[in-house]
Amino acid sequence: MAVSAADSSGRPAPAFDVVVIGAGFCGLYMIHRARQRGWRVRAFETGSGVGGTWYWNRYPGCRVDIEGFEYSYSFSKELEQEWEWSERYPPQPELERYCNHVADRFGLREDIQFGTRVTAAHYDESTRHWTVVTDRGETVTARVVVAATGTYSDPYRPDFEGADEFQGLKLQSSRWPREPVNFEGKRVGIIGTGASGVQLTPILARQARQLTVFQRTASYTVPLQNHKADAEDTRARKATYEVLRDAQWASGAGFTTVHSKPVPPPTLKVSDVSDEERTRVYEERWASGGLCFYHAFVDLLVDEKANRTLEAFMNDKIRSRVKNPEVARKLTPTQNPVLTKRLAGDTGYCEAFDRDNVELVDLRAEPIRKFTRTGLVVGDREVPLDVIIFATGFDLGTGAMSRIDIRGRDGRSLKDYWSQGIKTYLGMMANGFPNLFWLFGPGSPFYNPVLLAEYQVEQIERFLDGCGSGDVVEATPAAEKEWSDLTNAIANMTLFTKGKNYYMGDNIPGKPRAATLFLGGFPLYKQTCEKAVTTRDGLVA
Ligand code: N01
């Protein structure tokens, strides 16, 4: 795409070549590339700073559960070498600092308008421009709109009876206040036991007078084995960074390490190895910590028998971590095959329930009936509380984009378009929405979000570079259908469809059940993108 001027057919130039919505990891890289190309870019960010997920999720204990070396940009060798992670799994404040460092180092801040939410984006067929409207009443035009609005960014808070009556403090994990909250002497309740609830629990167990964790579905958790960074290890890893990056790009999900060393993608099925070897592999990965079980064997997410071997291993670990057998029973997941409700990396989660001041409430036995002025009624008892924390998740993928009134050709609303199921081409665009792209959104692969940002931004550039004098790119209905069918067909081959989970949209009442993310692995995604940008078969000419 050429820098905007009046185009060859004499249409006037828009105010910007590209409008970017959001300044998290994805938005920052989009801004950087647009600047490098000489495109006039304007980004709008609701928050007062950069970081996206790492700006909003500032609850105690929040940290990434992919190693910092892997969860960082690869586009600048200088950045890789100069940045120092202080821990194996960096905490939220450090990730936010990293995003600020990137914004300053590459001069991105001047193109970001903070404290501004985009409320609408409408396509005008006659000018082939988008008109973008903000909550400050501004209107700007752009040739291209890129939604970098995040996939875990639209908080979901269930509608509980009487929720407004509660007189204590209500907090949402993903909208945590900037000022520290003092929990000393307080009776605190956490609703939700996904990754956020799992990280909050052990910290609040130490701070609060009484902590009650309200669990509807237990999560499998694996100790992170986090530790402070070691100078010698950091030096060695920086010296071999390229080996790590190659392994990441070749992997299915963009995280590859075991004991902090990259390993190749798995080739063996569980049944290819003896029981002893399988246990050795599981123990090694347990000792390594975190998410590495996702790449232990090729069939863990597609074969129920294989999956059950890991379940049995994990169930034993829960029993070994918790003294009270009744609590261990409640903490043992029964609803979803292991790895399909996302594994949570934890630091002392199970052990926290051995404390006298911590109670686990099984909401399947005692459902939440209502909120009162002074607490929560579960089953036939009231739990008195001073603070209630909602760690109740997100409307994955579609949530953030559907909040914006996005209208494509002929006034087609994106929210309506997706109301019967998600339709995308390569998880980056949709038919009827020319020059609208999104990053790590609906239909995108389940992959390390930082590297995915880099990959998708570069594909968007390639799509735009090949679009000729009309400067418009749009997916054909056939290409969109093919990609969406493939996304759902692959999901149906996996165990993700066997339980209820946010990947299938099950956590949001009324959301049609469909795969929100592409689960076929990054290599297949990349191969399909390469073909798409080379042949351009899937694009409206
Ligand atoms: O959200 P979740 P999250 N009554 O959707 C429960 C990333 N992340 O914020 O399973 C009672 O996982 C719900 O129960 P159920 C990461 O990708 C990463 O914790 O629907 N409970 C569930 O237990 C993660 O997966 C980190 O039955 C209700 C919980 O709320 C993703 O963000 C840290 C309920 C929501 O869990 C989301 O994690 C944090 C109701 N009506 C987040 N409605 C890292 O470590 C919902 N729940 C990097």
Side-chain angles (χ1 to χ4, degrees):
M1 183 176 76
V3 178
S4 282
D7 69 17
S8 49
S9 56
R11 284 183 292 265
F16 295 100
D17 296 301
V18 185
V19 159
V20 180
I21 312 175
F25 269 100
C26 290
L28 288 176
Y29 189 60
M30 185 69 236
I31 301 164
H32 175 59
R33 290 296 302 193
R35 287 170 64 93
Q36 286 205 316
R37 296 293 302 267
W39 294 342
R40 284 168 306 129
V41 56
R42 166 58 49 91
F44 295 105
E45 165 58 54
T46 309
S48 62
V50 299
T53 285
W54 306 107
Y55 170 91
W56 295 105
N57 287 263
R58 45 184 71 245
Y59 59 84
C62 181
R63 68 178 65 249
V64 65
D65 55 8
I66 297 174
E67 294 194 61
F69 276 98
E70 296 192 277
Y71 195 88
S72 51
Y73 290 116
S74 72
F75 71 87
S76 161
K77 301 300 160 212
E78 296 75 26
L79 176 65
E80 282 182 344
Q81 293 300 319
E82 76 199 14
W83 184 261
E84 296 283 322
W85 295 113
S86 72
E87 296 181 45
R88 182 184 182 194
Y89 298 101
Q92 174 270 330
E94 194 165 336
L95 289 154
E96 192 184 8
R97 269 201 304 281
Y98 176 77
C99 290
N100 275 285
H101 173 75
V102 169
D104 292 332
R105 192 191 192 288
F106 297 98
L108 310 180
R109 218 176 274 280
E110 64 197 59
D111 290 321
I112 308 170
Q113 183 171 316
F114 292 101
T116 309
R117 176 183 287 281
V118 169
T119 54
H122 293 180
Y123 184 69
D124 181 339
E125 185 85 63
S126 63
T127 57
R128 297 190 178 175
H129 299 162
W130 285 88
T131 301
V132 177
V133 183
T134 76
D135 63 353
R136 291 182 170 192
E138 294 144 304
T139 298
V140 298
T141 53
R143 189 154 285 170
V144 174
V145 171
V146 179
T149 41
T151 210
Y152 301 93
S153 56
D154 184 30
Y156 168 62
R157 187 185 281 202
D159 236 352
F160 290 111
E161 188 188 326
D164 291 339
E165 282 173 30
F166 180 64
Q167 298 296 300
L169 180 63
K170 280 188 278 190
L171 296 167
Q172 181 106 23
S173 57
S174 53
R175 288 293 176 274
W176 203 262
R178 295 184 79 83
E179 317 71 46
V181 183
N182 183 2
F183 293 102
E184 220 178 277
K186 301 270 173 32
R187 297 160 303 178
V188 180
I190 301 176
I191 305 175
T193 52
S196 305
V198 164
Q199 289 186 327
L200 271 160
T201 294
I203 309 270
L204 296 193
R206 293 196 294 274
Q207 295 181 1
R209 167 152 63 100
Q210 176 69 36
L211 176 67
T212 311
V213 177
F214 299 94
Q215 168 191 279
R216 186 167 69 182
T217 308
S219 291
Y220 279 108
T221 76
V222 175
L224 275 182
Q225 314 292 3
N226 188 30
H227 53 73
K228 295 274 178 229
D230 164 78
E232 182 51 33
D233 176 59
T234 296
R235 195 201 51 73
R237 295 185 77 176
K238 285 187 177 180
T240 55
Y241 224 139
E242 277 181 26
V243 177
L244 176 64
R245 294 309 193 184
D246 288 348
Q248 285 185 274
W249 290 118
S251 69
F255 46 89
T256 65
T257 55
V258 176
H259 288 301
S260 298
K261 302 267 185 309
V263 296
T267 52
L268 296 178
K269 291 193 274 191
V270 167
S271 56
D272 289 335
V273 302
S274 65
D275 292 355
E276 294 72 28
E277 173 59 8
R278 186 187 68 230
T279 306
R280 188 198 65 74
V281 169
Y282 289 163
E283 286 292 0
E284 181 188 38
R285 284 172 190 249
W286 183 267
S288 171
L291 303 183
C292 56
F293 284 97
Y294 277 100
H295 51 77
F297 290 102
V298 287
D299 53 349
L300 281 173
L301 278 164
V302 291
D303 183 288
E304 287 186 52
K305 203 167 157 212
N307 186 276
R308 276 199 293 273
T309 65
L310 181 57
E311 259 179 23
F313 175 86
M314 295 273 186
N315 293 347
D316 279 350
K317 290 293 182 193
I318 295 170
R319 284 188 286 272
S320 73
R321 294 178 70 187
V322 187
K323 289 201 190 90
N324 182 330
E326 177 55 12
V327 175
R329 187 191 62 74
K330 286 193 214 169
L331 283 173
T332 303
T334 53
Q335 305 292 321
N336 302 283
V338 62
L339 306 180
T340 64
K341 177 171 179 175
R342 187 183 177 285
L343 212 55
D346 84 275
T347 305
Y349 176 67
C350 293
E351 293 78 2
F353 293 97
D354 278 334
R355 296 174 64 105
D356 292 339
N357 67 330
V358 180
E359 188 196 358
L360 179 65
V361 174
D362 174 4
L363 295 178
R364 289 179 194 269
E366 296 180 286
I368 297 178
R369 297 208 183 285
K370 60 175 181 175
F371 283 44
T372 64
R373 287 171 64 80
T374 50
L376 273 183
V377 177
V378 291
D380 51 14
R381 64 180 170 128
E382 177 171 3
V383 180
L385 295 166
D386 304 304
V387 183
I388 296 179
I389 299 170
F390 296 86
T392 42
F394 303 90
D395 183 351
L396 188 77
T398 48
M401 289 181 69
S402 298
R403 273 158 158 269
I404 304 170
D405 177 23
I406 296 176
R407 289 175 192 271
R409 263 190 296 106
D410 307 322
R412 175 187 283 183
S413 146
L414 187 65
K415 185 176 176 190
D416 292 348
Y417 192 55
W418 283 343
S419 63
Q420 299 307 312
I422 300 165
K423 287 174 274 186
T424 86
Y425 183 44
L426 301 171
M428 280 188 274
M429 55 183 120
N431 176 255
F433 299 86
N435 281 6
L436 171 74
F437 299 92
W438 58 89
L439 300 167
F440 191 32
S444 291
F446 172 73
Y447 192 67
N448 179 325
V450 187
L451 293 193
L452 184 64
E454 296 184 342
Y455 185 77
Q456 289 190 321
V457 166
E458 286 163 29
Q459 299 322 302
I460 291 171
E461 281 183 60
R462 291 170 78 192
F463 280 127
L464 289 169
D465 282 342
C467 69
S469 60
D471 273 350
V472 172
V473 178
E474 183 186 346
T476 64
E480 181 185 85
K481 182 171 182 330
E482 197 181 333
W483 179 254
S484 306
D485 288 351
L486 178 68
T487 300
N488 282 309
I490 288 177
N492 283 325
M493 289 161 63
T494 72
L495 302 178
F496 283 98
T497 51
K498 302 287 179 215
K500 291 194 166 179
N501 59 68
Y502 60 55
Y503 298 111
M504 297 303 298
D506 297 321
N507 64 325
I508 303 299
K511 190 167 176 173
R513 187 160 219 249
T516 306
L517 297 177
F518 175 74
L519 301 169
F522 185 71
L524 177 58
Y525 179 73
K526 187 175 168 194
Q527 196 185 319
T528 316
C529 286
E530 289 300 323
K531 188 164 163 245
V533 287
T534 317
T535 65
R536 304 185 74 79
D537 283 348
L539 303 177
V540 175

